[in-house]
Amino acid sequence: MGIFSWLFKGSFEKRGHLTDWDRDQARARWAAVEEQLRLGKPSNMKVAVMDSDKIIDDLLKVLYPDTQTMGERLKLARDQFREYKTYDELWQAHKTRNAMVHEASFELPNFEAISVIGKYRNALREFGV
């Protein structure tokens, strides 16, 4: 880590930009999320949440290519959001996804899955998707 990076704590972080192609790919993948929602079974809802999280993560990987985890990327992405509420809700959605994946006893009712996916949808709108 260079002295300037250390002094300014990442303000020189390499950053990419989203292209129309990136956004089109995300839109196409989002259509599959919508299909999972339409099917409405608990297993479909879980897949929809995981796929929503992956779509956001893939966009963040384009924006912040030198990061290792989605958590790192989310921290750097704060300036991508016009409203803090949308950013905060994205964090909440990601935490729900992590709980769903890592906690064996975690149950995700359909109404909560729909709410979580709505948070991902709002974040995608911020990215122009």
Side-chain angles (χ1 to χ4, degrees), residues 1-19:
M1 177 184 300
I3 188 77
F4 289 110
S5 294
W6 179 78
L7 285 172
F8 296 102
K9 304 238 190 275
S11 60
F12 294 106
E13 187 79 34
K14 181 179 173 187
R15 183 167 162 194
H17 68 282
L18 296 177
T19 64

Side-chain angles (χ1 to χ4, degrees), residues 22 71 88 111:
D22 296 319
D88 187 54
F111 74 89

Side-chain angles (χ1 to χ4, degrees), residues 12-75:
F12 294 106
E13 187 79 34
K14 181 179 173 187
R15 183 167 162 194
H17 68 282
L18 296 177
T19 64
D20 289 341
W21 186 86
D22 296 319
R23 289 181 179 91
D24 288 344
Q25 293 299 307
R27 280 185 200 100
R29 293 171 63 196
W30 187 257
V33 169
E34 294 286 348
E35 178 62 17
Q36 292 294 333
L37 277 174
R38 190 186 66 72
L39 294 171
K41 295 179 187 172
S43 60
N44 297 108
M45 295 301 207
K46 288 181 180 181
V47 169
V49 169
M50 290 187 294
D51 288 351
S52 298
D53 191 80
K54 183 67 175 150
I55 293 167
I56 292 285
D57 191 31
D58 287 345
L59 292 174
L60 291 173
K61 284 178 184 176
V62 172
L63 291 172
Y64 307 102
D66 293 338
T67 56
Q68 298 298 313
T69 67
M70 185 165 177
E72 288 177 58
R73 289 183 278 280
L74 279 172
K75 287 177 186 175

